[in-house]
């Protein structure tokens, strides 16, 4: 595979030109990213995505014509393979939860550093989910385990909770004081037991079962 073909193709969506210009200038510094286009609202994003076939869309939530929430729903129905990372100033729990349930792969607040934004983009592109610290603090807080999750062991529930909070295998291993290989084994067991094979699906399950609030 050539270097060019392995580069991450990103479409930027925001209704503020200055924000788009700043994002494009910063992300084009990354060796593995190409900014293939920009859009100012969700409808334009859908149209450009169909033409340009990005790998990932970095999208604002509050936009005219078609907002980020409604656009995400349409993307998942019409272009399900594209990854969607939301970038917003809104830190409202219900707002974030609605976006997750609509199919967004991550949620980053606009107060993050450019380095964290790059990390979030790469994490989502690689099949993970990502929530910035502010979004996680708003959305996730441990709650009592629902009886419907009793088929999982206590350790698997702990791992699932950390997965739903957007942590990597290495971060989970450090948090639970276990090896990365053990984390990988638990994750596979969780997926097999629940018959859920995507990170987004595990997040949704954790929310539905009240493992996280």
């Amino acid at each position: 595979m050539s270097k060019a073909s392995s580069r991450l193709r990103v479409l930027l969506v925001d209704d503020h030109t200055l924000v788009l210009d700043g994002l494009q200038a910063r992300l084009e510094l990354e060796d593995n990213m190409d900014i293939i286009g920009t859009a100012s609202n969700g409808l334009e994003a859908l149209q450009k995505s169909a033409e340009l076939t990005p790998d990932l869309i970095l999208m604002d939530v509050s936009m005219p014509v078609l907002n980020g929430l409604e656009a995400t729903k349409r993307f998942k129905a019409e272009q399900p393979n594209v990854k969607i990372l939301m970038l917003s100033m809104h830190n409202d729990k219900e707002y974030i939860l609605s976006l997750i349930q609509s199919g967004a792969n991550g949620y980053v607040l606009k107060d993050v550093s450019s380095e964290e934004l790059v990390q979030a983009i790469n994490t989502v592109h690689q099949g993970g989910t990502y929530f910035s610290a502010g979004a996680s603090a708003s959305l996730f807080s441990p709650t009592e385990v629902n009886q419907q999750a009793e088929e999982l062991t206590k350790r698997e529930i702990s791992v699932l909770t950390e997965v739903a909070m957007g942590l990597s295998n290495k971060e989970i291993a450090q948090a639970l004081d276990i090896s990365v290989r053990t984390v990988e084994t638990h994750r596979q067991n969780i997926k097999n037991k629940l018959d859920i094979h995507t990170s987004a699906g595990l997040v949704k399950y954790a929310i539905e079962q009240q493992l996280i609030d």
Side-chain angles (χ1 to χ4, degrees):
M1 182 180 290
S2 68
K3 182 177 179 181
S5 63
S6 65
R7 292 171 67 86
L8 170 56
R9 295 164 54 81
V10 181
L11 176 66
L12 303 177
V13 188
D14 196 293
D15 60 329
H16 294 93
T17 302
L18 188 61
V19 172
L20 288 176
D21 290 346
L23 287 172
Q24 183 165 0
R26 172 60 183 87
L27 296 179
E28 283 182 340
L29 297 176
E30 297 300 309
D31 293 337
N32 68 324
M33 294 185 194
D34 284 324
I35 307 306
I36 61 171
T38 63
S40 60
N41 60 67
L43 184 59
E44 186 181 2
L46 283 158
Q47 295 168 343
K48 287 199 172 183
S49 179
E51 298 170 3
L52 301 173
T53 62
D55 299 308
L56 182 143
I57 295 174
L58 181 62
M59 182 162 57
D60 189 17
V61 177
S62 299
M63 297 181 294
V65 185
L66 189 68
N67 65 35
L69 176 59
E70 296 304 318
T72 298
K73 293 178 181 177
R74 288 189 54 179
F75 268 113
K76 290 307 173 182
E78 300 171 17
Q79 302 174 44
N81 292 329
V82 67
K83 304 289 177 56
I84 299 178
L85 177 61
M86 307 306 301
L87 180 64
S88 176
M89 69 175 72
H90 297 289
N91 196 18
D92 180 77
K93 173 182 174 180
E94 296 303 322
Y95 215 62
I96 301 172
L97 183 58
S98 295
L99 281 157
I100 295 171
Q101 293 173 333
S102 297
N105 303 100
Y107 195 101
V108 177
L109 296 178
K110 287 185 175 179
D111 61 359
V112 301
S113 66
S114 60
E115 289 77 13
E116 183 174 355
L117 178 59
V118 170
Q119 180 185 354
I121 291 171
N122 285 321
T123 298
V124 168
H125 175 55
Q126 292 164 8
T129 56
Y130 194 97
F131 300 94
S132 64
S136 295
S138 175
L139 184 60
F140 300 130
S141 61
T143 63
E144 194 172 315
V145 175
N146 190 291
Q147 290 183 351
Q148 296 181 35
E150 285 183 350
E151 62 188 290
L152 301 179
T153 66
K154 289 183 179 180
R155 178 62 80 184
E156 287 168 348
I157 289 170
S158 296
V159 171
L160 175 57
T161 302
E162 300 293 334
V163 169
M165 292 176 68
L167 274 66
S168 67
N169 286 349
K170 183 178 180 180
E171 291 169 331
I172 295 172
Q174 293 173 340
L176 300 181
D177 194 23
I178 56 180
S179 70
V180 173
R181 177 165 292 185
T182 299
V183 174
E184 293 171 349
T185 299
H186 284 312
R187 288 186 69 149
Q188 190 58 52
N189 289 340
I190 292 167
K191 290 178 179 179
N192 291 339
K193 285 184 177 181
L194 302 179
D195 194 24
I196 298 173
H197 301 284
T198 65
S199 295
L202 292 176
V203 172
K204 182 179 179 182
Y205 176 87
I207 293 171
E208 290 175 344
Q209 300 304 316
Q210 300 180 13
L211 299 180
I212 52 176
D213 185 9

